[in-house]
Every structure is written in structure tokens, then in C-alpha cells.
Amino acid sequence: MTATLVDSDVILDVATDDASWSARSAAALGRAADSGPLVVNPIVYAEVSIGFATIEALQVALPPDVFVREDLPWTAAFLAGKAFLGYRRKGGAPRSPLPDFYIGAHAAVSGHKLLTRDARRYRTSFPTVELVTP
């Protein structure tokens, strides 16, 4: 069973009951959970935390028995930097968040699938990562 790293956009779709994406993201989360562990890293955790007033509320939304916490691999830091550099050299906006590249790199070096709504950037920068989209 392959683990799936879950991007913050999918989690926030469900947590905020987003009118356009909640149902699709919830269904994609369910399918991903059926095929293996769901994973979050500190960057995803931080991005999702913005939607919660307390850490206790965040823990309820991301229960550790459902969302495995993984540290960020050092090799992912290197790959994220190189992917971001390539993006910038191709004319990518400097405001584009480096954390997205770190999330993609984490999935790439760990052999995880990536559940995200931002498939275009990940597909371009991390072509070896299996993407799952809602």
C-alpha cells in the first residue's frame, strides 16, 4: 500500500466545507485512505493550522490515527530548492511559495502519491510523483 501525502488545499476544502470542492476533496481523501496511509508534514500542518483557533481544534481535524505525521527529509529540501530554481528560471513568479515545492519534493523522495488540487505545478516540477486529484 502506497502512502498519500495530502496537500493542505484538500484538507481545507473539507474542513471549511468549501462549496465548490468539499465533496470532491472528501471523496478523494476517502479513496486515498482506502489505498494506504494518509500523510501530512510540518508544512501542510502549518498551512492547515491557519483555519483553526487552537491546536486542539487542529488535532481534531487532523487526528494522528488518520493522518500520519512525517518529518521532512533533508533530500527533499535539496530537491525543493532545485525545483524552485528551475521554476524561477522558466519565468515563474517570485511570490510562488517555496513550501509547495517542498511538499512535492517530500512526495518524490519518499515515494508517496500526492493528493492535491494544484496538479499543474506538481506535474511540471515533479513528474515522477503520482498525482491524485479531487
Side-chain angles (χ1 to χ4, degrees), residues 23-133:
R24 287 182 277 183
S25 290
L29 268 173
R31 287 189 301 274
D34 288 343
S35 71
L38 300 177
V39 175
V40 295
N41 64 30
I43 292 174
V44 171
Y45 192 88
E47 289 177 337
V48 172
S49 75
I50 293 169
F52 296 87
T54 66
I55 195 166
E56 293 81 10
L58 179 57
Q59 289 291 92
V60 170
L62 295 175
D65 60 325
V66 175
F67 291 92
V68 176
R69 277 99 167 112
E70 278 191 11
D71 292 329
L72 294 161
W74 287 99
T75 52
F78 183 82
L79 181 57
K82 295 303 179 193
F84 184 72
L85 179 61
Y87 166 80
R88 291 289 297 127
R89 285 185 174 157
K90 292 178 186 170
R95 66 165 185 73
S96 180
L98 183 56
D100 287 349
F101 290 91
Y102 214 145
I103 292 166
H106 181 184
V109 302
S110 298
H112 296 328
K113 295 182 226 173
L114 178 60
L115 174 55
T116 184
R117 278 197 287 116
D118 193 10
R120 184 178 68 231
R121 174 177 297 145
Y122 292 115
R123 187 173 292 118
T124 300
S125 298
F126 304 99
T128 63
V129 173
E130 181 181 343
L131 299 176
V132 180
T133 57

